[in-house]
Amino acid sequence: MHAYPMPKYIVRRLGRLRSPYQEIMWRRVYLFLLAVRLYFALQPSYIHPDEHFQGPEVIAGDIFNWPTFKTWEFTSDTPIRSFFPLWFVYGIPMQILDWIVPGLEPPSPRITFYFLRTLFFLLSFVLEDWALQDLLTNPRHRITSLLLLSSSYVTWTYQTHTFSNSIETIVVLWSLVLIERISKSKTTAWIASAILGFTCRTNSSRILSNAPCH
């Protein structure tokens, strides 16, 4: 069975942007879903204790001198998680928050909580949506994908919470972006390859010192 190429005029018609009215409507829907994402990000709730015990709490005790609890993944004789990626994801933002909050006392846990949730909302909004726009060249596919992402339960809850998996999702997306750029541009391929290699090694708090990076 032979696959015949689609006529060019059909390809152009499918890739054409919608009418101005439809363009305005989908942007309004997207902004509404963005507001819903922010609402869920700032809700004082949690999905699973791991979003605290395997992330912010591990680093907060060292920066703010709070009495925190480190789980066995970090403290056993053969730990399975590393502190190194957590310092990039949580440590640097907490340190910046400590600098900008006035007074000698560290910021309260409530302020830290909302600060990190806002940060993860921005990472989800900027990096995830940007990656999709970079990967999808067809305008109609791009609009559909952005609306699906913005209305997804996973985006509203997990991606805006302080899970390490939220960062790993963004890393996987941008690994695809870098692979796409490597395949298209040979002049900057070495830069994208170096970033991809570093990202592949440090994207998870789990210790994978002997695991190959493919």
Side-chain angles (χ1 to χ4, degrees):
M1 186 174 181
H2 299 283
Y4 295 97
M6 188 178 294
K8 291 183 178 180
Y9 74 93
I10 296 181
V11 175
R12 286 196 300 268
R13 186 175 181 83
L14 289 175
R16 192 178 303 162
L17 284 172
R18 304 176 181 184
S19 66
Y21 174 77
Q22 291 175 319
E23 179 75 13
I24 294 174
M25 287 305 299
W26 95 260
R27 290 184 182 277
R28 289 179 177 177
V29 172
Y30 176 75
L31 291 175
F32 170 76
L33 294 174
L34 186 63
V36 173
R37 195 190 310 190
L38 178 61
Y39 170 79
F40 281 110
L42 299 180
Q43 287 300 297
S45 61
Y46 68 92
I47 305 300
H48 194 281
D50 283 355
E51 68 177 283
H52 301 298
F53 293 146
Q54 293 180 355
E57 185 167 347
V58 179
I59 304 299
D62 297 330
I63 295 179
F64 302 135
N65 294 320
W66 290 343
T68 58
F69 176 77
K70 292 183 173 64
T71 56
W72 64 270
E73 293 100 328
F74 299 94
T75 58
S76 63
D77 295 334
T78 54
I80 63 172
R81 289 182 178 271
S82 170
F83 292 97
F84 180 72
L86 301 183
W87 276 101
F88 283 98
V89 179
Y90 309 107
I92 294 177
M94 286 184 185
Q95 192 65 65
I96 294 173
L97 178 64
D98 192 30
W99 290 338
I100 63 178
V101 170
L104 299 177
E105 295 295 326
S108 66
R110 181 181 293 273
I111 292 177
T112 305
F113 171 83
Y114 284 117
F115 179 78
L116 290 176
R117 282 288 184 87
T118 304
L119 173 65
F120 270 67
F121 161 76
L122 291 174
L123 290 175
S124 171
F125 164 52
V126 175
L127 295 182
E128 288 182 15
D129 295 23
W130 183 9
L132 282 183
Q133 293 193 58
D134 202 290
L135 288 170
L136 300 172
T137 56
N138 185 294
R140 179 164 296 184
H141 294 167
R142 183 184 300 164
I143 291 172
T144 303
S145 299
L146 286 173
L147 291 179
L148 288 174
L149 175 68
S150 301
S151 60
S152 170
Y153 162 80
V154 176
T155 303
W156 288 353
T157 54
Y158 293 95
Q159 289 302 117
T160 57
H161 286 221
T162 53
F163 287 106
S164 60
N165 306 79
S166 304
I167 299 298
E168 291 166 8
T169 302
I170 295 174
V171 167
V172 170
L173 269 176
W174 277 94
S175 296
L176 296 175
V177 172
L178 291 174
I179 292 172
E180 183 73 13
R181 292 181 180 180
I182 290 171
S183 64
K184 289 183 177 180
S185 176
K186 303 302 181 183
T187 56
T188 59
W190 67 274
I191 300 177
S193 299
I195 297 174
L196 180 61
F198 176 79
T199 303
C200 189
R201 281 294 183 184
T202 60
N203 77 88
S204 175
S205 61
R206 300 171 185 84
I207 296 178
L208 300 173
S209 58
N210 296 321
C213 180
H214 297 295

